[in-house]
Amino acid sequence: MASAANAPITMKEAVHLTNLGVNAAHISFTHVTMESEKFVCVRETTGANNVVIVDMSDPTTPMRRQITADSALMNPVSKVIALKAVVAGTTSDHLQIFNLEMKAKMKAHQMPEQVVFWKWITSSKLGLVTATAVYHWDMEGSSEPVKMFDRSDKLEGNQIINYRSDPNGKWLVLSGISPQLPPGQSGPTSSRAICSCTRWSSNAARLLMRTPRRLPASSCRGRRCPAR
């Protein structure tokens, strides 16, 4: 067994959230988000609804704001926060982007359906995944979310766990875990949908080769993506 000194990954505790007054019941996958190493964001839902923002450059002075939301994502580089909440009496989500330093709302939009997964894919753009499609929403300007591609049938019934874009925004990968197990296999199975927003090229081969052989991969080659 390799020694700790030769381990490929080293870990150390950066901050203990309970020492910052965060209730341990809120330290969970549904309440904590970390879009980069710069910020940790925690939703507190016991008693008053708050969002606790820990700036990792100064973790001993967390920012606490009274905010009610079903999900909160800090921008990976700036003090901008994205909030998502289900509209009462509907199954659609209302999205908002706030600049915390300027104390101003930057944008808002009501989606026609619920967003089941979202994340910052760049420092200025959110990726939004619904049950049927994937959208991009730029925090700059007044544009609404732009549909990038329809979800692959391979991901039907999957829990979406990640969405990635290459640096140029030409290749998009949506990943999910299926609760349905193939015969003779134990543990969760993974699926990936690979979408190209340009024509297929040698880059596709490199992307596909990085998909483990046991994971089924599909592409939206037959689907029309907007030009970039």
Side-chain angles (χ1 to χ4, degrees):
M1 180 178 293
S3 66
N6 297 325
I9 299 175
T10 58
M11 299 177 62
K12 70 174 184 178
E13 184 177 292
V15 63
H16 205 296
L17 292 176
T18 55
N19 292 342
L20 303 179
V22 176
N23 189 322
H26 299 141
I27 304 175
S28 65
F29 177 77
T30 57
H31 286 69
V32 179
T33 56
M34 190 173 181
E35 295 293 282
S36 70
E37 61 182 13
K38 189 171 178 61
F39 298 106
V40 177
C41 188
V42 185
R43 289 188 308 114
E44 295 182 323
T45 55
T46 301
N49 290 313
N50 294 311
V51 171
V52 182
I53 300 160
V54 181
D55 187 335
M56 296 306 291
S57 64
D58 185 17
T60 59
T61 55
M63 181 191 310
R64 183 176 265 102
R65 293 289 184 268
Q66 189 168 352
I67 297 173
T68 300
D70 297 323
S71 181
L73 299 178
M74 279 297 292
N75 183 279
V77 299
S78 61
K79 290 186 178 180
V80 170
I81 190 169
L83 303 172
K84 176 172 72 75
V86 175
V87 179
T90 73
T91 57
S92 61
D93 276 320
H94 186 67
L95 311 178
Q96 298 184 77
I97 301 176
F98 284 90
N99 186 311
L100 295 173
E101 290 184 311
M102 299 178 64
K103 298 181 179 180
K105 181 167 67 175
M106 299 174 64
K107 301 186 78 168
H109 180 75
Q110 184 167 329
M111 293 291 289
E113 56 184 324
Q114 189 171 2
V115 175
V116 298
F117 181 87
W118 69 329
K119 68 174 296 182
W120 290 96
I121 57 172
T122 71
S123 60
S124 64
K125 189 173 296 182
L126 283 161
L128 313 172
V129 183
T130 71
T132 60
V134 177
Y135 299 80
H136 286 178
W137 193 29
D138 201 309
M139 74 177 191
E140 305 293 346
S142 59
S143 62
E144 297 184 350
V146 177
K147 182 178 177 180
M148 303 306 294
F149 61 94
D150 292 318
R151 279 182 53 168
S152 166
D153 294 340
K154 293 285 187 179
L155 290 172
E156 185 175 355
N158 278 223
Q159 176 189 356
I160 302 302
I161 59 172
N162 203 3
Y163 177 58
R164 300 290 299 274
S165 169
D166 78 321
N168 297 320
K170 302 299 183 182
W171 292 95
L172 313 171
V173 181
L174 182 64
S175 303
I177 293 180
S178 172
Q180 304 296 327
L181 297 179
Q185 182 171 323
S186 60
T189 61
S190 297
S191 300
R192 291 186 182 183
I194 301 173
C195 172
S196 166
C197 288
T198 58
R199 63 185 179 85
W200 286 78
S201 66
S202 59
N203 289 334
R206 287 197 292 272
L207 188 57
L208 286 170
M209 282 193 296
R210 292 176 185 170
T211 303
R213 293 177 63 87
R214 65 183 181 85
L215 302 181
S218 63
S219 77
C220 69
R221 188 178 349 191
R223 306 183 188 275
R224 183 175 180 271
C225 294
R228 300 286 300 201

